[in-house]
Amino acid sequence: MWSDILVTFGALGILLLGMDWLSKGLKTAAGPALMQFLQRWTTKPWQGLVFGTAATVAVQSSTVITITTIGFVNAGILSLQNAAFVIYGSNVGTSLTGWFVALIGLQFKIEVFALPLVGLGAMLKLFTKTVKKQGVGEALVGFGFFFLGLGFLKEGFNAVFLDIEFSALSQWGLWGILLGVALGTLLSVLMQASIAVIALVITAVSAGVLPLSLAAAFVIGANLGTTSTAIMSTLAATAQAKRLALLHVIFNVITGVVAVLLISPLLWLILQLQQALFHDPNPAISLALFHTLFNVLGVLLMWPLTTRLVLFLNGRFRQHSPGQLRMLDASSLSIPSVAIKSLIMETLHVGQLISQQALMLHADTPQTSAGLNNIKQLQTELNGYLLKLGKSKLSAAESKALNELIKNQMRLEMTIQLLPQLAKQLTSNATAFMPEQTLWQQLQQAHWPEDAAKVRSCYRDLMKQRHKIKEQLYLLVLTERVSTDNGGDQLLRIAELRRFNQQLTKAMLSLGALLTTTDGPTSQQEQEEHSHAS
């Protein structure tokens, strides 16, 4: 008895490990391509729905798709409206995985193809050098482990749980259904993988351990449990991430309530269809069909409500701390190419804040330490994300972009350290920064990368003006109108100002150019929507 329980527990571990490897491997292999496809083919609601469904089936994790979608929304790659339908599609994709388990995982001798997949995947993982091939190998190992765990799990149910009277719960009516929903939600939260819970429930139904009505309640609960990961990932996230997580919760709750209310008619309809088509109802297929039907029904209910729901959500979470990142959180790291795009946009924002601080100097506006502290806080958070990203598997292009980001972070750090020195110049010359006004305004207001040419032109004009000022200073020293000591002091101030302008402009231009090289630049419409929403 105990040995059978331990085998079942181990089988569950193999299944979860397989899910984890499968999702990570496919995510690694398809990261940049996924972002390109997402931008090009989710402009319409039905496209987002199809993409969310297909991506979830491919990656075998609605949680991964949800977290990835949050990262896309943060980076401005995807609007909240389009992201909503990707989330709907991820729920439908989860239900299609149930079909895969019911039709293949429980109908064939799994070891026949699972073990060769593990062997092939291990060879690719260990003996290939490219990141994509290693990702494919990891995915194949995960795929094999998933079905090996499923096979052992089926044997464990037959040996351990067959004599337990779960059918007593179904006699409690609505209370039994609600208890099943609660247990399914709890399992999904604990495992952090609703697909694993669904595979578990389908296996239990196939083994005759769970009655169909109670198993359906477990599946509804698993659907609700998927929102836990999105909620936890947005506790300290951006406003856009919180909006999408709330949308996910609203969709799953509405879908779950409708499924509970219609559980009996839907199961009756499914049984009638199976009897008419096959004359021998298969409970595993019935459960997979139930899961698909109530998710599709949820999409149909939410489709006409989505536009108003997005408008409602755009009015939520508007409070924004000056020292808080606007587009970057943990979800952005799910795909390196998305993280790089978000880091570029956040770093450009820091550069604009530094330009704003410089303009305040020119306007002789009293500066508070809070402004500089907020910028330093942003820099600290960005450095933390750069370190985390550096530990990820990166392609050659992504590694090059990361090096550029680090270089520009150092340039901006230099300008931050120079700001207090520039403030001291105002004590001796209130108009010291007059020539810089145009450049600083351009840097603060520029749209990147569209305004890069204007910034270069402003910088060149400024350098010419500063060169003339230096020539005039040399002449004043030569004619003894200015002492050598005073002239040297002014020259030092000009050098500090030149270094500030050079490093700030160089960083902003480099980041703007880097933004154009990231996969699929953000459309102007999505940039405006993201800016308005934040």
Side-chain angles (χ1 to χ4, degrees):
M1 177 66 176
W2 282 106
S3 62
D4 292 328
I5 292 175
L6 291 175
V7 168
T8 304
F9 184 70
L12 182 60
I14 294 174
L15 187 145
L16 290 173
L17 182 63
M19 290 290 303
D20 184 58
W21 280 36
L22 177 60
S23 61
K24 284 182 179 179
L26 289 172
K27 186 177 63 176
T28 300
L34 188 67
M35 188 171 78
Q36 288 180 348
F37 188 85
L38 182 66
Q39 287 179 274
R40 294 172 183 173
W41 301 103
T42 57
T43 54
K44 297 178 181 178
W46 69 268
Q47 290 176 333
L49 185 66
V50 171
F51 174 85
T53 303
T56 302
V57 172
V59 180
Q60 289 296 296
S61 176
S62 60
T63 297
V64 168
I65 298 303
T66 300
I67 299 301
T68 302
T69 304
I70 289 174
F72 288 147
V73 172
N74 281 339
I77 297 169
L78 193 62
S79 69
L80 188 61
Q81 175 86 14
N82 293 341
F85 288 92
V86 176
I87 295 298
Y88 300 165
S90 72
N91 274 36
V92 176
T94 302
S95 70
L96 295 182
T97 302
W99 282 96
F100 195 65
V101 174
L103 293 174
I104 298 176
L106 300 178
Q107 305 298 326
F108 298 96
K109 190 172 178 59
I110 298 171
E111 296 84 351
V112 173
F113 64 90
L115 287 175
L117 283 177
V118 172
L120 177 61
M123 297 291 286
L124 287 172
K125 174 70 175 174
L126 296 174
F127 299 110
T128 55
K129 295 181 179 180
T130 62
V131 173
K132 284 189 176 181
K133 288 181 180 178
Q134 289 178 353
V136 172
E138 190 173 357
L140 288 174
V141 172
F143 196 71
F145 276 2
F146 175 78
F147 282 105
L148 279 176
L150 200 62
F152 285 123
L153 202 61
K154 184 179 179 182
E155 293 177 9
F157 275 126
N158 287 330
V160 179
F161 299 106
L162 195 59
D163 295 330
I164 299 177
E165 292 294 333
F166 284 104
S167 58
L169 287 176
S170 61
Q171 297 176 3
W172 294 5
L174 180 60
W175 291 109
I177 297 298
L178 293 177
L179 180 59
V181 172
L183 290 173
T185 303
L186 180 62
L187 280 173
S188 185
V189 171
L190 292 176
M191 292 186 183
Q192 290 295 292
S194 63
I195 291 176
V197 177
I198 291 163
L200 190 71
V201 174
I202 289 177
T203 306
V205 165
S206 178
V209 174
L210 279 176
L212 185 58
S213 59
L214 189 59
F218 270 84
V219 168
I220 296 169
N223 242 40
L224 292 173
T226 57
T227 60
S228 64
T229 306
I231 293 170
M232 287 186 288
S233 68
T234 57
L235 292 178
T238 64
Q240 282 288 75
K242 290 178 180 176
R243 291 174 189 131
L244 188 58
L246 182 55
L247 183 144
H248 191 197
V249 171
I250 292 172
F251 171 70
N252 280 33
V253 168
I254 291 177
T255 303
V257 170
V258 170
V260 169
L261 294 176
L262 298 179
I263 189 169
S264 295
L266 282 176
L267 289 177
W268 178 85
L269 177 62
I270 290 166
L271 289 175
Q272 296 303 312
L273 285 172
Q274 283 211 62
Q275 286 177 350
L277 295 174
F278 306 111
H279 304 290
D280 185 19
N282 185 323
I285 293 177
S286 296
L287 190 60
L289 182 56
F290 171 78
H291 192 196
T292 302
L293 281 178
F294 84 74
N295 271 298
V296 170
L297 184 59
V299 172
L300 294 176
L301 288 172
M302 291 297 296
W303 196 306
L305 303 176
T306 300
T307 301
R308 291 187 178 182
L309 180 59
V310 168
L311 289 174
F312 166 77
L313 292 173
N314 280 334
R316 310 276 79 77
F317 310 112
R318 284 189 169 274
Q319 292 183 351
H320 179 73
S321 171
Q324 182 183 0
L325 297 173
R326 304 185 306 167
M327 293 160 275
L328 183 67
D329 56 32
S331 63
S332 303
L333 296 174
S334 58
I335 292 183
S337 52
V338 176
I340 287 170
K341 187 177 181 69
S342 299
L343 281 163
I344 293 170
M345 296 170 71
E346 289 286 7
T347 310
L348 280 169
H349 176 59
V350 170
Q352 290 177 323
L353 291 177
I354 295 172
S355 304
Q356 185 181 35
Q357 290 289 311
L359 279 171
M360 291 172 65
L361 288 174
H362 170 75
D364 198 19
T365 303
Q367 285 189 314
T368 62
S369 59
L372 272 179
N373 287 338
N374 288 334
I375 294 175
K376 290 177 180 178
Q377 175 64 29
L378 289 173
Q379 284 286 88
T380 300
E381 292 191 35
L382 287 173
N383 287 333
Y385 278 106
L386 285 170
L387 289 173
K388 291 178 182 177
L389 185 60
K391 297 176 183 178
S392 304
K393 295 179 181 178
L394 303 176
S395 65
E398 289 165 350
S399 296
K400 184 178 178 181
L402 180 61
N403 288 333
E404 280 295 313
L405 277 166
I406 293 172
K407 190 185 299 182
N408 288 312
Q409 275 288 94
M410 295 174 67
R411 287 170 177 159
L412 293 179
E413 192 64 40
M414 183 185 294
T415 64
I416 294 170
Q417 294 176 10
L418 285 170
L419 271 172
Q421 300 298 323
L422 298 185
K424 294 178 181 178
Q425 296 189 25
L426 292 174
T427 58
S428 57
N429 185 1
T431 61
F433 307 132
M434 184 65 72
E436 274 72 22
Q437 182 182 13
T438 303
L439 175 65
W440 291 346
Q441 285 179 341
Q442 186 65 51
L443 287 173
Q444 184 195 15
Q445 300 171 2
H447 291 91
W448 300 96
E450 294 85 356
D451 293 339
K454 293 180 181 178
V455 170
R456 288 193 187 93
S457 177
C458 286
Y459 180 74
R460 283 194 293 266
D461 291 342
L462 175 62
M463 290 299 101
K464 290 177 183 177
Q465 292 182 55
R466 279 298 172 187
H467 181 72
K468 290 180 180 178
I469 291 172
K470 285 174 64 176
E471 292 292 331
Q472 292 172 0
L473 179 61
Y474 297 149
L475 182 62
L476 290 173
V477 172
L478 183 65
T479 57
E480 299 183 348
R481 296 180 187 178
V482 174
S483 66
T484 305
D485 290 345
N486 193 13
D489 185 54
Q490 290 185 45
L491 197 62
L492 180 61
R493 293 175 184 175
I494 291 174
E496 288 178 345
L497 191 55
R498 183 178 181 277
R499 268 205 304 168
F500 175 85
N501 290 324
Q502 183 186 53
Q503 295 303 318
L504 180 59
T505 306
K506 204 169 184 179
M508 299 285 274
L509 286 172
S510 177
L511 290 165
L514 196 58
L515 193 61
T516 63
T517 63
T518 56
D519 292 322
T522 308
S523 68
Q524 185 67 27
Q525 180 182 357
E526 287 179 345
Q527 283 187 7
E528 291 174 357
E529 179 180 341
H530 185 276
S531 176
H532 173 72
S534 297

